[in-house]
PDB file of all heavy atoms in Angstrom:
ATOM      1  N   ASP A 579      93.233  72.224  74.011  1.00 98.00           N
ATOM      2  CA  ASP A 579      93.030  73.088  74.981  1.00 98.00           C
ATOM      3  C   ASP A 579      94.263  73.335  75.833  1.00 98.00           C
ATOM      4  O   ASP A 579      94.493  74.384  76.395  1.00 98.00           O
ATOM      5  CB  ASP A 579      91.852  72.551  75.988  1.00 98.00           C
ATOM      6  CG  ASP A 579      90.455  72.671  75.427  1.00 98.00           C
ATOM      7  OD1 ASP A 579      90.350  73.551  74.388  1.00 98.00           O
ATOM      8  OD2 ASP A 579      89.541  72.182  75.974  1.00 98.00           O
ATOM      9  N   LEU A 580      95.076  72.271  76.019  1.00 98.00           N
ATOM     10  CA  LEU A 580      96.353  72.426  76.741  1.00 98.00           C
ATOM     11  C   LEU A 580      97.258  73.285  75.840  1.00 98.00           C
ATOM     12  O   LEU A 580      98.043  74.145  76.431  1.00 98.00           O
ATOM     13  CB  LEU A 580      97.004  71.030  76.864  1.00 98.00           C
ATOM     14  CG  LEU A 580      98.396  71.022  77.597  1.00 98.00           C
ATOM     15  CD1 LEU A 580      98.445  71.788  78.960  1.00 98.00           C
ATOM     16  CD2 LEU A 580      98.684  69.645  77.889  1.00 98.00           C
ATOM     17  N   MET A 581      97.347  73.047  74.532  1.00 98.00           N
ATOM     18  CA  MET A 581      98.155  73.923  73.583  1.00 98.00           C
ATOM     19  C   MET A 581      97.808  75.238  73.692  1.00 98.00           C
ATOM     20  O   MET A 581      98.710  76.206  73.671  1.00 98.00           O
ATOM     21  CB  MET A 581      97.953  73.326  72.263  1.00 98.00           C
ATOM     22  CG  MET A 581      98.825  74.096  71.183  1.00 98.00           C
ATOM     23  SD  MET A 581     100.203  73.253  70.658  1.00 98.00           S
ATOM     24  CE  MET A 581     100.642  74.058  69.187  1.00 98.00           C
ATOM     25  N   THR A 582      96.527  75.606  73.937  1.00 98.00           N
ATOM     26  CA  THR A 582      96.061  77.004  73.823  1.00 98.00           C
ATOM     27  C   THR A 582      95.642  77.559  75.220  1.00 98.00           C
ATOM     28  O   THR A 582      94.925  78.577  75.363  1.00 98.00           O
ATOM     29  CB  THR A 582      94.793  77.164  72.894  1.00 98.00           C
ATOM     30  OG1 THR A 582      93.757  76.255  73.261  1.00 98.00           O
ATOM     31  CG2 THR A 582      95.154  76.785  71.460  1.00 98.00           C
ATOM     32  N   LEU A 583      96.205  76.913  76.246  1.00 98.00           N
ATOM     33  CA  LEU A 583      96.011  77.357  77.435  1.00 98.00           C
ATOM     34  C   LEU A 583      96.537  78.828  77.698  1.00 98.00           C
ATOM     35  O   LEU A 583      97.642  79.081  77.255  1.00 98.00           O
ATOM     36  CB  LEU A 583      96.751  76.372  78.539  1.00 98.00           C
ATOM     37  CG  LEU A 583      96.187  76.352  79.975  1.00 98.00           C
ATOM     38  CD1 LEU A 583      94.648  75.842  80.041  1.00 98.00           C
ATOM     39  CD2 LEU A 583      97.010  75.437  80.930  1.00 98.00           C
ATOM     40  N   PRO A 584      95.961  79.677  78.478  1.00 98.00           N
ATOM     41  CA  PRO A 584      96.219  81.036  78.464  1.00 98.00           C
ATOM     42  C   PRO A 584      97.556  81.301  79.307  1.00 98.00           C
ATOM     43  O   PRO A 584      97.944  82.506  79.442  1.00 98.00           O
ATOM     44  CB  PRO A 584      95.102  81.954  79.019  1.00 98.00           C
ATOM     45  CG  PRO A 584      94.345  80.789  79.834  1.00 98.00           C
ATOM     46  CD  PRO A 584      94.654  79.524  79.060  1.00 98.00           C
ATOM     47  N   VAL A 585      98.317  80.301  79.864  1.00 98.00           N
ATOM     48  CA  VAL A 585      99.519  80.515  80.552  1.00 98.00           C
ATOM     49  C   VAL A 585     100.592  79.515  80.015  1.00 98.00           C
ATOM     50  O   VAL A 585     100.239  78.523  79.274  1.00 98.00           O
ATOM     51  CB  VAL A 585      99.266  80.190  82.023  1.00 98.00           C
ATOM     52  CG1 VAL A 585      98.450  81.064  82.765  1.00 98.00           C
ATOM     53  CG2 VAL A 585      98.824  78.670  82.257  1.00 98.00           C
ATOM     54  N   PRO A 586     101.877  79.766  80.203  1.00 98.00           N
ATOM     55  CA  PRO A 586     102.887  78.909  79.702  1.00 98.00           C
ATOM     56  C   PRO A 586     102.721  77.531  80.362  1.00 98.00           C
ATOM     57  O   PRO A 586     102.375  77.452  81.374  1.00 98.00           O
ATOM     58  CB  PRO A 586     104.180  79.632  80.186  1.00 98.00           C
ATOM     59  CG  PRO A 586     103.767  81.074  80.568  1.00 98.00           C
ATOM     60  CD  PRO A 586     102.391  81.037  80.933  1.00 98.00           C
ATOM     61  N   THR A 587     103.170  76.613  79.421  1.00 98.00           N
ATOM     62  CA  THR A 587     102.937  75.129  79.893  1.00 98.00           C
ATOM     63  C   THR A 587     104.319  74.415  79.762  1.00 98.00           C
ATOM     64  O   THR A 587     105.011  74.770  78.788  1.00 98.00           O
ATOM     65  CB  THR A 587     101.912  74.410  79.076  1.00 98.00           C
ATOM     66  OG1 THR A 587     102.206  74.592  77.756  1.00 98.00           O
ATOM     67  CG2 THR A 587     100.437  75.091  79.309  1.00 98.00           C
ATOM     68  N   VAL A 588     104.622  73.646  80.704  1.00 98.00           N
ATOM     69  CA  VAL A 588     105.934  72.774  80.628  1.00 98.00           C
ATOM     70  C   VAL A 588     105.595  71.366  80.888  1.00 98.00           C
ATOM     71  O   VAL A 588     104.852  71.081  81.948  1.00 98.00           O
ATOM     72  CB  VAL A 588     106.880  73.262  81.779  1.00 98.00           C
ATOM     73  CG1 VAL A 588     108.141  72.578  81.608  1.00 98.00           C
ATOM     74  CG2 VAL A 588     107.061  74.813  81.623  1.00 98.00           C
ATOM     75  N   ALA A 589     106.242  70.550  80.010  1.00 98.00           N
ATOM     76  CA  ALA A 589     106.096  69.160  80.285  1.00 98.00           C
ATOM     77  C   ALA A 589     107.466  68.679  80.964  1.00 98.00           C
ATOM     78  O   ALA A 589     108.612  68.964  80.444  1.00 98.00           O
ATOM     79  CB  ALA A 589     105.997  68.354  79.008  1.00 98.00           C
ATOM     80  N   LEU A 590     107.454  68.256  82.226  1.00 98.00           N
ATOM     81  CA  LEU A 590     108.732  67.824  82.891  1.00 98.00           C
ATOM     82  C   LEU A 590     108.652  66.280  82.616  1.00 98.00           C
ATOM     83  O   LEU A 590     108.030  65.527  83.347  1.00 98.00           O
ATOM     84  CB  LEU A 590     108.530  68.078  84.457  1.00 98.00           C
ATOM     85  CG  LEU A 590     108.634  69.639  84.823  1.00 98.00           C
ATOM     86  CD1 LEU A 590     108.712  69.788  86.333  1.00 98.00           C
ATOM     87  CD2 LEU A 590     109.765  70.391  84.105  1.00 98.00           C
ATOM     88  N   ILE A 591     109.632  65.929  81.727  1.00 98.00           N
ATOM     89  CA  ILE A 591     109.628  64.543  81.350  1.00 98.00           C
ATOM     90  C   ILE A 591     110.568  63.750  82.257  1.00 98.00           C
ATOM     91  O   ILE A 591     111.866  63.745  82.025  1.00 98.00           O
ATOM     92  CB  ILE A 591     110.063  64.470  79.851  1.00 98.00           C
ATOM     93  CG1 ILE A 591     109.042  65.143  78.975  1.00 98.00           C
ATOM     94  CG2 ILE A 591     110.104  63.020  79.380  1.00 98.00           C
ATOM     95  CD1 ILE A 591     109.480  65.356  77.483  1.00 98.00           C
ATOM     96  N   ASN A 592     109.913  63.074  83.276  1.00 97.00           N
ATOM     97  CA  ASN A 592     110.738  62.462  84.328  1.00 97.00           C
ATOM     98  C   ASN A 592     111.187  61.015  84.024  1.00 97.00           C
ATOM     99  O   ASN A 592     111.740  60.318  84.759  1.00 97.00           O
ATOM    100  CB  ASN A 592     109.838  62.376  85.617  1.00 97.00           C
ATOM    101  CG  ASN A 592     108.580  61.834  85.286  1.00 97.00           C
ATOM    102  OD1 ASN A 592     107.679  62.197  84.430  1.00 97.00           O
ATOM    103  ND2 ASN A 592     108.238  60.653  85.943  1.00 97.00           N
ATOM    104  N   GLY A 593     110.918  60.504  82.795  1.00 97.00           N
ATOM    105  CA  GLY A 593     111.297  59.229  82.362  1.00 97.00           C
ATOM    106  C   GLY A 593     110.845  58.995  81.062  1.00 97.00           C
ATOM    107  O   GLY A 593     110.930  59.927  80.218  1.00 97.00           O
ATOM    108  N   THR A 594     110.480  57.776  80.689  1.00 98.00           N
ATOM    109  CA  THR A 594     109.933  57.535  79.326  1.00 98.00           C
ATOM    110  C   THR A 594     108.813  58.357  78.816  1.00 98.00           C
ATOM    111  O   THR A 594     107.860  58.214  79.592  1.00 98.00           O
ATOM    112  CB  THR A 594     109.730  55.872  79.220  1.00 98.00           C
ATOM    113  OG1 THR A 594     110.900  55.176  79.539  1.00 98.00           O
ATOM    114  CG2 THR A 594     109.358  55.587  77.667  1.00 98.00           C
ATOM    115  N   ALA A 595     108.835  58.739  77.621  1.00 98.00           N
ATOM    116  CA  ALA A 595     107.666  59.386  76.990  1.00 98.00           C
ATOM    117  C   ALA A 595     107.451  58.964  75.610  1.00 98.00           C
ATOM    118  O   ALA A 595     108.262  59.359  74.616  1.00 98.00           O
ATOM    119  CB  ALA A 595     107.860  60.921  76.987  1.00 98.00           C
ATOM    120  N   ILE A 596     106.626  58.093  75.388  1.00 97.00           N
ATOM    121  CA  ILE A 596     106.443  57.423  74.057  1.00 97.00           C
ATOM    122  C   ILE A 596     105.039  57.599  73.616  1.00 97.00           C
ATOM    123  O   ILE A 596     104.077  57.657  74.352  1.00 97.00           O
ATOM    124  CB  ILE A 596     106.879  55.995  73.952  1.00 97.00           C
ATOM    125  CG1 ILE A 596     106.192  55.157  74.980  1.00 97.00           C
ATOM    126  CG2 ILE A 596     108.468  55.909  74.237  1.00 97.00           C
ATOM    127  CD1 ILE A 596     106.314  53.628  74.754  1.00 97.00           C
ATOM    128  N   GLY A 597     104.863  57.600  72.265  1.00 97.00           N
ATOM    129  CA  GLY A 597     103.411  57.552  71.658  1.00 97.00           C
ATOM    130  C   GLY A 597     102.770  58.788  72.076  1.00 97.00           C
ATOM    131  O   GLY A 597     103.153  59.958  71.935  1.00 97.00           O
ATOM    132  N   GLY A 598     101.607  58.626  72.681  1.00 98.00           N
ATOM    133  CA  GLY A 598     100.776  59.626  73.167  1.00 98.00           C
ATOM    134  C   GLY A 598     101.466  60.601  74.165  1.00 98.00           C
ATOM    135  O   GLY A 598     101.135  61.793  74.360  1.00 98.00           O
ATOM    136  N   GLY A 599     102.474  59.978  74.934  1.00 98.00           N
ATOM    137  CA  GLY A 599     103.145  60.717  75.773  1.00 98.00           C
ATOM    138  C   GLY A 599     103.989  61.887  75.263  1.00 98.00           C
ATOM    139  O   GLY A 599     104.136  62.990  75.755  1.00 98.00           O
ATOM    140  N   CYS A 600     104.464  61.572  74.106  1.00 98.00           N
ATOM    141  CA  CYS A 600     105.119  62.599  73.229  1.00 98.00           C
ATOM    142  C   CYS A 600     104.192  63.684  72.806  1.00 98.00           C
ATOM    143  O   CYS A 600     104.497  64.826  72.566  1.00 98.00           O
ATOM    144  CB  CYS A 600     105.967  62.074  72.096  1.00 98.00           C
ATOM    145  SG  CYS A 600     107.669  61.680  72.598  1.00 98.00           S
ATOM    146  N   GLU A 601     102.993  63.148  72.464  1.00 98.00           N
ATOM    147  CA  GLU A 601     101.990  64.141  71.911  1.00 98.00           C
ATOM    148  C   GLU A 601     101.548  65.158  73.016  1.00 98.00           C
ATOM    149  O   GLU A 601     101.335  66.348  72.768  1.00 98.00           O
ATOM    150  CB  GLU A 601     100.665  63.360  71.463  1.00 98.00           C
ATOM    151  CG  GLU A 601     101.028  62.429  70.215  1.00 98.00           C
ATOM    152  CD  GLU A 601      99.761  61.939  69.621  1.00 98.00           C
ATOM    153  OE1 GLU A 601      99.038  62.750  69.064  1.00 98.00           O
ATOM    154  OE2 GLU A 601      99.572  60.749  69.643  1.00 98.00           O
TER     155      GLU A 601
END
Side-chain angles (χ1 to χ4, degrees):
D579 284 346
L580 177 52
M581 177 102 166
T582 58
L583 205 62
V585 298
T587 55
V588 183
L590 295 184
I591 301 173
N592 55 299
T594 304
I596 56 170
C600 268
E601 297 192 65

